[in-house]
Amino acid sequence: MIKNIIISILVLLNTSVFSLNTSEKTDAVNCLKKAYAQWNSLLKEQKETAICIKYSVTIKYMQENAEKTTNSTVEFYSKNDKSVILNSDMQYYGDNALWMVIQPIEKRITLYDPDNNKLNQRKSIQPSAIQDSIFKVSTVISDKKEKTGNKEIRKIRIRLNEKGIKSFGFTTVDYIIDCTTNQIKALKMYFAPSSKQMRSLELKVNEINNKYSGQVLTNNFYSKVFQPNGKLRSDYSKYQVKDFRKSKKL
């Protein structure tokens, strides 16, 4: 469950519901659009420096008629054509030669071509694409500003219509936005009752470093796992490999 959400989430608190007039709604939507634009600018290809975003994810879901909660932390790294997502359940490494998913719990390694259609669909779920779609099928139902220490934050809640619920699978999204930087600091999605498992998903941004200079993106991704002769390195010797690439060579 978590691995699919991590890939697609490089996407989206509880406030009282009240009606807004047209100008207030427009202002709230403009605020969200600016926040998404901020994400887009962060995720643009950077030639000189890399970006590192660390965030936490809380998922509530139903299992055996009881509500369960899972908490995890995610690290996202990107520079030019290279991207890395690290989580205890999944590690994703991608560049213009290879997309590789490592699942330590399942002891599985999956290899894809960069132009794999299924992964391209996931990759296309970017904030800009969601922004263009979500505002067409949703309404702002609450918007308020609060002081937290010396910072001012804005809490905006949107509710999706029937078409939106059918398309996205959730009914409501709560955003927390830093009024100074226009950055999304947190968001929470509430899923539709038709969802048999998922109840809510909350994301909180813990750190953004757009001048990352560490080693995560420097090494060859294939060589991280495979020896020059194509055999698995010792750390991955017990892993199962699924290779969906058209060409098995790099």
Side-chain angles (χ1 to χ4, degrees), residues 55-234:
Y55 55 95
S56 55
V57 179
T58 299
I59 300 171
K60 292 187 177 182
Y61 61 98
M62 296 300 294
Q63 187 178 72
E64 298 178 353
N65 297 322
E67 186 175 89
K68 305 288 186 179
T69 301
T70 64
N71 297 289
S72 62
T73 56
V74 182
E75 298 179 8
F76 169 78
Y77 301 86
S78 181
K79 181 181 179 181
N80 296 331
D81 64 326
K82 285 190 169 186
S83 295
V84 174
I85 300 173
L86 302 179
N87 175 265
S88 59
D89 293 336
M90 186 207 76
Q91 301 165 19
Y92 162 83
Y93 298 86
D95 56 25
N96 58 8
L98 170 75
W99 288 1
M100 177 170 63
V101 178
I102 302 174
Q103 296 167 258
I105 297 176
E106 295 87 346
K107 293 195 177 301
R108 181 184 303 137
I109 298 169
T110 310
L111 306 177
Y112 300 93
D113 285 322
D115 62 349
N116 180 276
N117 288 332
K118 182 179 290 186
L119 284 178
N120 266 343
Q121 289 173 2
R122 288 176 174 177
K123 189 178 180 181
S124 68
I125 305 179
Q126 296 293 337
S128 58
I130 291 183
Q131 168 194 314
D132 293 340
S133 301
I134 200 168
F135 296 131
K136 295 178 181 177
V137 294
S138 64
T139 303
V140 175
I141 58 173
S142 70
D143 175 21
K144 66 180 181 180
K145 294 181 180 180
E146 293 181 1
K147 283 280 188 180
T148 57
N150 59 351
K151 289 187 177 182
E152 186 177 51
I153 62 170
R154 189 166 182 172
K155 294 184 176 181
I156 300 174
R157 168 174 283 190
I158 64 171
R159 179 172 291 165
L160 280 67
N161 60 25
E162 290 186 11
K163 182 179 179 180
I165 294 172
K166 186 175 180 180
S167 298
F168 291 96
F170 48 84
T171 60
T172 309
V173 185
D174 291 341
Y175 295 89
I176 294 183
I177 298 171
D178 186 315
C179 294
T180 303
T181 63
N182 286 323
Q183 288 182 350
I184 298 174
K185 305 303 293 182
L187 60 88
K188 187 171 184 179
M189 297 181 291
Y190 300 86
F191 286 81
S194 57
S195 173
K196 295 182 180 180
Q197 280 191 310
M198 296 293 296
R199 287 295 176 263
S200 66
L201 183 152
E202 184 174 10
L203 179 152
K204 293 182 178 179
V205 178
N206 301 321
E207 178 185 337
I208 298 177
N209 180 2
N210 61 358
K211 293 184 178 180
Y212 173 77
S213 58
Q215 301 298 310
V216 173
L217 296 163
T218 57
N219 298 325
N220 178 279
F221 293 154
Y222 187 82
S223 299
K224 170 183 171 60
V225 174
F226 295 92
Q227 302 177 53
N229 61 8
K231 293 185 178 181
L232 290 168
R233 296 192 180 278
S234 58

